[in-house]
Each structure stands twice: as C-alpha cells, then as structure tokens.
Amino acid sequence: MKVMVIQGPNLNMLGIREQQIYGAMKLEEIHTQMKAFADANGMEIEFFQSNLEGELVDKIQECLGEADGIIINAGAYTHTSIAIRDAIAAVQLPTIEVHLSNVYRREEFRQKSMIAPVCAGVITGFGPFSYHLAMVAMNQIFQEIKAIKAQQQQQQQA
Ligand code: DQA
C-alpha cells in the first residue's frame, strides 16, 4: 500500500530556518529515513513539497486512486486553509497531520488546526521523529485496512 507524504510551505527550508524550533535536519534526510521505514515494512512511498496552497490541494486530489493514505505537514496552511481541509475530506483517505514543533506550546494562532477534524490523528512536537511516528501509525492503519479487506473476501467466498 502507498503513502503520499505532502510537505507545505517553508518545509523545504528545514536545516536552515529557525533551527532552535525545527532542528538541524534537512527535509531530504527526513525523507530518507521515512523511505527506509517504508522499505522495511513493505510500504510504497512518494514525497511532495510545495509552497503554494493550490498545488497542495492538487496533490491531495491526485491521491485519489494513487495512494492509500496521506501524511501531511501543511506548515502555516494548517492554521488557515479551508481549501486543504476540504481536499482531505473529499478524497476520504486516512490522513495523518504532522508537525515538528509542539504547536500547542507556541503562539495562539498555531493552536488552531483547520485540518485536524478531517484527519485520523495528529502528531506534534517530536521534531523529525514526528514523521517516524506518523509512519508507524500509517503502517498500523494499512494493516487494519488489509485485515478488513481479507475478512470481506472470506465472507464473500462463504
Ligand atoms: C509546523 C508548525 C506551523 O505552525 C508552522 O507554520 C510550520 C511548521 C511544524 O512542523 O512545526 O511551518 O507545521
């Protein structure tokens, strides 16, 4: 099964931007670690980053029929984008919201997520390890989907 990893604005600047908040690891390094987890667990994985809201919406829409789940760090759009929320709701794929920083320890405007209500869950505050935790959660969701499908097949055959 395939997971699409979608990274929003300024995440291409990881390793450079506000290191005291986001750490020193670059986005490519985080993706390398996620790919290793995917390979070890028989998952397919694809990565996408954009600074543009519409491109993020397009990518979420493209997931329909292309991916089985989404891991998304929508960056600042998390707190503002009804369009991204609607796209996630439209495709109805299990989606995990991720943040490097603990958004609940930060400014008040970061404590509201537009997308959390349409996500399976939220992982926030563990630095680059947040992405690893999201992969563990997505793997679990995939196992559950596979088990349900196997059960349905058995019932059809009976
Ligand atoms: C972030 C938190 C957002 O509030 C912020 O705008 C980001 C990064 C995080 O990963 O901690 O760009 O999503």
Side-chain angles (χ1 to χ4, degrees), residues 26-158:
K26 289 185 163 51
L27 194 62
E28 300 78 59
E29 296 174 76
I30 292 173
H31 288 176
T32 301
Q33 290 185 350
M34 294 174 87
K35 174 85 172 77
F37 182 95
D39 289 347
N41 289 278
M43 301 159 82
E44 278 182 75
I45 193 160
E46 193 181 318
F47 303 98
F48 178 79
Q49 190 276 329
S50 176
N51 294 324
L52 305 181
E53 187 177 15
E55 285 190 0
L56 296 167
V57 169
D58 281 345
K59 188 42 100 177
I60 293 164
Q61 290 183 6
E62 280 170 28
C63 286
L64 208 55
E66 266 287 310
D68 303 288
I70 299 171
I71 292 175
I72 184 166
N73 184 347
Y77 288 137
T78 304
H79 317 297
T80 61
S81 180
I82 299 169
I84 291 175
R85 175 200 180 115
D86 286 351
I88 294 168
V91 297
Q92 288 198 313
L93 292 169
T95 299
I96 300 174
E97 175 184 335
V98 172
H99 301 287
L100 294 136
S101 64
N102 179 353
V103 290
Y104 298 103
R105 286 178 67 163
R106 300 184 64 194
E107 301 95 329
E108 210 180 325
F109 64 83
R110 293 187 206 277
Q111 292 173 24
K112 173 81 191 159
S113 169
M114 285 291 171
I115 67 175
V118 293
C119 288
V122 180
I123 298 168
T124 186
F126 300 97
F129 197 64
S130 290
Y131 289 98
H132 176 76
L133 294 173
M135 288 297 286
V136 172
M138 190 56 78
N139 191 32
Q140 176 64 24
I141 290 170
F142 283 176
Q143 297 311 321
E144 285 167 15
I145 291 171
K146 278 186 201 164
I148 290 167
K149 278 187 185 158
Q151 208 178 25
Q152 283 170 346
Q153 265 177 354
Q154 270 183 347
Q155 279 167 354
Q156 274 167 3
Q157 280 161 4

